[in-house]
Amino acid sequence: MSQLLWHVRRLQSMSPREVAWRASRAGRSLLPHGGRGATSDADLFGTPEADWETALARFRECAGRPALLDRGRAAVIAREHPAGVEQVIAAAERVAGGRFAYFGYPEVTLPEPIDWHYDPHSKVGWPVVPASRIDHRTADGDPKWIWELNRLQHLTWLAEAWLFTGEERFGDAAFRQLDSWIEQNPPGIGIGWRGAFEAGVRSISIAVALQGLRNSPALTTARFRAVVRVLAESARRCWDERSRFSSANNHLVGEMAGLATVSILLPDLARAESWEKDAIRVLSAEAGRQILPDGAGAEQAMGYQIFTSELLLTVAALLTLRDGRPPPELIAAVDRSADFIAALVGDRDPEPHYGDDDEGFALRLGAEPVRTARDHLGTVGAVTRNTAARRVGRTTLSAAWMNYARTEPVSGVESFPEPGPRSFYAPHGGLVVLRAGARRLTVDVGPLGYLSLAAHGHADALAVTLSIDGDDVIGDPGTGSYYRHPDWRAAHRGTRAHATVCVDGLDQSVVGGPFLWTEHARVRVRSVDLERCVVDAEHSGYSRLSQPVVHRRWLIAPPDRGSILVVDLIAGRGRHEVRTSWPLSPSLDVTPLEEGHLASRDREPILQLVHSASSELIRYEVRGDAQLGLGWWSRRLESREPAWLVGGYCTGDVPVVVATVLNPLDGRMAWAEDLTVGVRDGCLIASWREGSSENRVEIKDAIGTMTKNGDVVWNRSH
């Protein structure tokens, strides 16, 4: 896609106010230093002369500021969590030796002094020019990898290792790397300064690591001065260049969390008080916008929900350590999110993967390469004492450190009941979870994403996932790639890769760029019956076609029945190709059957899928198709593995009806056969045999008047 076309589409997603604001900001960026002069040392502290010796002494004493990383606490943690401490020390050893690994890329060794502009995987040196002149969208290298390196989140590992072991080599390595980073990255120069968000996330790492190393002999006055100047400039950019309007997603939270962290840990700065006040005000408002009333994330991406929540939690923890109680809006949002996530993962269900996930950390205190939902919940439980989070979460080193920032429970905050085998519907986030025994089903009935960009959402309206006995069976295939593999990016967020219906080979929503959707599929929920486990919803994504249609889906999964029926109705005008997709876990093998597919794990039958349609349906299966980008599963960014994608497709005049029976083979081995689906007097009728039983499902008033809710009747005879 040409850059000109991208800019046109991006402009179309903006309001007139946003266009005017961006034009003004672009003009200011052309001025030297972004329209500002260099800040003197005296200006930093608001005094005629800057006394760096006194400032460093106050920093070491933690005068007027909280302490998160502390040698006394480190000794307790080392006794209580020896395995986690050993892992962090090992991680510190690696990065002290210049060994780094991010995402699905293999580990690399960077020689000293580290070149903070060089991507060894792409063999690209990013230009050392004003960041505003770097176009990361068209560069040969992967900006995600180089940004991850420049976030300096490994510095906290080195600080912790120094606290745990007392070995000066860890503190020396931290400051040696920080010295070289500051020397190579003057404010505003290089890819590391491309956007206030990177400055914000990096500030959290530098500030917390510096605080942990406050008594290290390697922290000289000159070094303290250099680091404080970088943090102050980062804080200024976080506020002056903060994300606004259609860009105000998790980036704004990251910027404000960085601003708040610098202000809290460096209160001697002249602007610290006003910066902190502004940051907390914005974070309190964003907490309510980005964590919805039902606890779901507004970005429709589990990875970003966890990241956003942990940014809020980091600020809340620092304020708790300093004041005893953080702003209630932050804790309430974190608890809402934790209740939702805990209810979703339950006691043993697999990790949810919907939407984008770039493996972002607010603060790396443990050595785990990715933050799982249970890791996150363990940290939340340590700080907020959230009952659901403490029950479901896993204790990590992050939780051990954050346990020193315990808060009192927020009164008057509604929460989900304790997690367990229960069904629920989150109407704001648009997720239905249906449970029966060891089976968990989810149905996506939410919006595409957040704000006009919906940057991190996938075109997966009405998608279904299924897990059995704690393992994925039908799931979301993950993110794939952001920049390195554009074809992966397109496929993994497209409709055909998800467990929903694709019409005429088109995505439900219209892509405008790698992080931009120009037209959004809108979902309408007709009914959700948790007791009977019936979901009825539709979306308008294909109303843009020259012969528009609506996709309506019923999922019917009575808790007392073994099988699940999914009925898809395409109604409107014209003749269309209709294709169902069922992405299966990579752990499963597939055997084609006359009426569908059999999925097995280690030769043990797990799930039978039976397909039928109102016109001739052709079964298909694909695995690891590089040309189509289908039949892949991505557990981590920039990596993927082959996995079966199965389904059926047909072409016909609408209305077209497709039915799929998902039959878990949980020892019953009751095979589903002879599935038929049709329309009679506006009623959808599906019937099939399952062992010795005859099943017949009628959905009344489904066709004809599309304004009525179809009444579902399931009859079974023996």
Side-chain angles (χ1 to χ4, degrees):
M1 180 182 300
S2 72
Q3 280 299 98
L4 177 60
L5 180 58
W6 181 88
H7 283 292
V8 169
R9 291 175 174 175
R10 185 66 179 87
L11 281 169
Q12 291 173 339
S13 70
M14 301 179 193
S15 67
R17 283 186 61 208
E18 180 175 2
V19 172
W21 170 73
R22 289 188 181 277
S24 172
R25 194 170 77 165
R28 289 197 303 272
S29 71
L30 298 177
L31 299 174
H33 306 292
R36 297 177 55 92
T39 303
S40 68
D41 287 353
D43 289 338
L44 287 178
F45 295 102
T47 57
E49 293 185 8
D51 185 349
W52 287 101
E53 293 284 353
T54 300
L56 177 55
R58 287 177 55 80
F59 183 76
R60 284 180 168 146
E61 295 165 3
C62 288
R65 71 207 79 198
L68 177 59
L69 300 185
D70 175 84
R71 176 149 282 169
R73 293 170 184 167
V76 175
I77 290 172
R79 288 195 303 270
E80 296 179 350
H81 305 278
V85 169
E86 184 178 345
Q87 291 167 1
V88 161
I89 293 173
E93 294 275 12
R94 291 194 300 273
V95 297
R99 294 158 56 196
F100 297 90
Y102 303 119
F103 315 127
Y105 290 113
E107 182 179 271
V108 295
T109 300
L110 303 179
E112 285 204 15
I114 293 173
D115 183 347
W116 300 98
H117 304 282
Y118 182 69
D119 173 359
H121 293 289
S122 305
K123 295 181 171 49
V124 167
W126 287 83
V128 186
V129 299
S132 59
R133 288 168 46 192
I134 299 175
D135 188 348
H136 63 275
R137 300 180 187 88
T138 59
D140 293 330
D142 184 353
K144 282 297 296 177
W145 192 94
I146 201 71
W147 276 329
E148 202 71 19
L149 177 69
N150 280 267
R151 288 182 182 182
L152 304 180
Q153 293 191 317
H154 64 279
L155 293 181
T156 49
W157 289 341
L158 293 167
E160 289 174 274
W162 180 77
L163 291 171
F164 289 135
T165 67
E167 296 182 24
E168 298 298 343
R169 62 193 179 93
F170 290 115
D172 291 342
F175 284 112
R176 190 169 61 250
Q177 292 186 10
L178 192 49
D179 288 346
S180 69
W181 191 91
I182 292 172
E183 181 181 357
Q184 294 179 36
N185 292 271
I189 302 297
I191 187 67
W193 291 97
R194 188 74 170 94
F197 175 68
E198 293 303 318
V201 176
R202 181 170 55 247
S203 293
I204 298 172
S205 304
I206 294 177
V208 172
L210 184 70
Q211 187 256 343
L213 292 165
R214 62 190 180 277
N215 293 312
S216 168
L219 180 55
T220 63
T221 302
R223 275 177 166 153
F224 181 69
R225 174 182 181 272
V227 176
V228 169
R229 287 185 62 83
V230 166
L231 289 173
E233 176 62 15
S234 299
R236 181 192 71 77
R237 288 172 181 267
C238 283
W239 180 251
D240 292 352
E241 300 173 15
R242 64 193 183 277
S243 299
R244 298 180 63 187
F245 300 103
S246 61
S247 296
N249 54 11
N250 66 86
H251 281 210
L252 179 58
V253 177
E255 292 151 6
M256 294 302 100
L259 178 63
T261 300
V262 172
S263 304
I264 293 166
L265 294 181
L266 296 173
D268 299 329
L269 293 174
R271 296 182 63 185
E273 184 177 354
S274 63
W275 275 342
E276 180 184 332
K277 181 179 178 181
D278 287 335
I280 300 305
R281 172 176 54 81
V282 175
L283 284 172
S284 296
E286 288 303 306
R289 294 188 183 104
Q290 299 199 35
I291 304 297
L292 300 172
D294 56 21
E299 293 203 69
Q300 296 293 309
M302 178 55 64
Y304 283 97
Q305 177 172 348
I306 290 174
F307 178 60
T308 296
S309 179
E310 290 204 349
L311 288 166
L312 299 174
L313 188 70
T314 299
V315 175
L318 292 174
L319 291 172
T320 300
L321 288 167
R322 188 189 71 183
D323 303 331
R325 190 176 180 89
E329 295 88 350
L330 304 190
I331 294 297
V334 170
D335 273 341
R336 272 198 318 276
S337 174
D339 288 336
F340 171 83
I341 296 171
L344 177 55
V345 300
D347 292 331
R348 57 177 301 199
D349 290 311
E351 191 84 2
H353 287 295
Y354 57 82
D356 279 348
D357 184 358
D358 72 348
E359 306 177 16
F361 281 77
L363 179 64
R364 281 187 182 268
L365 296 176
E368 56 273 12
V370 295
R371 179 84 83 221
T372 69
R374 295 183 194 280
D375 293 343
H376 165 69
L377 291 171
T379 305
V380 172
V383 176
T384 75
R385 321 311 287 171
N386 180 284
T387 303
R390 293 175 71 186
R391 173 181 167 178
V392 174
R394 187 173 76 91
T395 299
T396 62
L397 214 60
S398 293
W401 283 110
M402 288 293 188
N403 189 52
Y404 289 97
R406 294 188 298 271
T407 67
E408 294 298 324
V410 179
S411 60
V413 176
E414 295 184 4
S415 65
F416 282 111
E418 286 196 7
R422 67 180 190 85
S423 301
F424 70 92
Y425 171 35
H428 300 93
L431 187 70
V432 183
V433 177
L434 303 175
R435 282 198 174 88
R439 181 186 79 193
R440 182 192 69 182
L441 281 160
T442 72
V443 188
D444 179 357
V445 294
L448 173 65
Y450 186 50
L451 303 178
S452 61
L453 302 186
H456 295 299
H458 290 184
D460 57 356
L462 310 187
V464 171
T465 72
L466 169 65
S467 64
I468 301 173
D469 290 327
D471 293 318
D472 281 312
V473 178
I474 297 169
D476 188 294
T479 303
S481 176
Y482 272 5
Y483 296 99
R484 185 69 180 271
H485 301 282
D487 53 332
W488 295 14
R489 176 72 177 149
H492 274 261
R493 63 178 183 151
T495 299
R496 281 194 63 182
H498 295 89
T500 184
V501 167
C502 178
V503 175
D504 295 342
L506 301 173
D507 289 334
Q508 301 161 339
S509 298
V510 179
V511 170
F515 300 93
L516 169 65
W517 296 91
T518 57
E519 292 187 44
H520 299 195
R522 310 287 177 181
V523 175
R524 175 190 176 195
V525 178
R526 289 174 169 269
S527 65
V528 174
D529 186 332
L530 296 178
E531 183 175 352
R532 299 170 64 208
C533 290
V534 177
V535 179
D536 176 4
E538 66 188 32
H539 74 82
S540 62
Y542 294 116
S543 63
R544 70 181 191 272
L545 303 182
S546 59
Q547 294 181 306
V549 294
V550 171
H551 171 209
R552 184 174 178 181
R553 168 168 277 188
W554 289 265
L555 182 136
I556 308 161
D560 60 342
R561 309 287 168 86
S563 54
I564 302 148
L565 177 66
V566 180
V567 178
D568 292 297
L569 168 65
I570 304 299
R573 297 193 325 221
R575 185 175 180 84
H576 299 274
E577 181 195 83
V578 178
R579 181 184 296 264
T580 60
S581 293
W582 302 102
L584 302 178
S585 165
S587 66
L588 298 174
D589 294 318
V590 164
T591 302
L593 304 175
E594 184 177 351
E595 295 183 73
H597 299 89
L598 174 64
S600 304
R601 182 181 291 115
D602 299 326
R603 300 185 179 180
E604 182 73 22
I606 300 295
L607 179 72
Q608 180 194 11
L609 301 94
V610 185
H611 319 286
S612 184
S614 56
S615 56
E616 182 182 5
L617 182 135
I618 301 173
R619 183 204 71 223
Y620 77 92
E621 53 279 335
V622 59
R623 182 177 184 269
D625 189 314
Q627 183 175 358
L628 294 175
L630 299 174
W632 299 94
W633 194 281
S634 174
R635 300 183 192 273
R636 298 198 62 185
L637 194 67
E638 304 305 337
S639 69
R640 64 180 185 175
E641 60 187 304
W644 285 104
L645 176 71
V646 303
Y649 65 93
C650 60
T651 301
D653 295 324
V654 297
V656 172
V657 184
V658 181
T660 308
V661 171
L662 307 175
N663 183 30
L665 299 170
D666 50 0
R668 300 174 301 114
M669 295 304 289
W671 292 90
E673 299 175 290
D674 300 330
L675 173 64
T676 62
V677 63
V679 180
R680 183 184 302 168
D681 299 327
C683 178
L684 294 181
I685 301 173
S687 62
W688 71 99
R689 287 189 302 108
E690 190 175 320
S692 60
S693 301
E694 297 286 343
N695 293 275
R696 178 183 170 92
V697 175
E698 298 182 5
I699 306 175
K700 299 179 180 179
D701 296 320
I703 298 180
T705 115
M706 293 295 288
T707 60
K708 293 184 179 180
N709 293 335
D711 183 26
V712 176
V713 179
W714 184 317
N715 296 310
R716 169 172 284 188
S717 60
H718 296 274

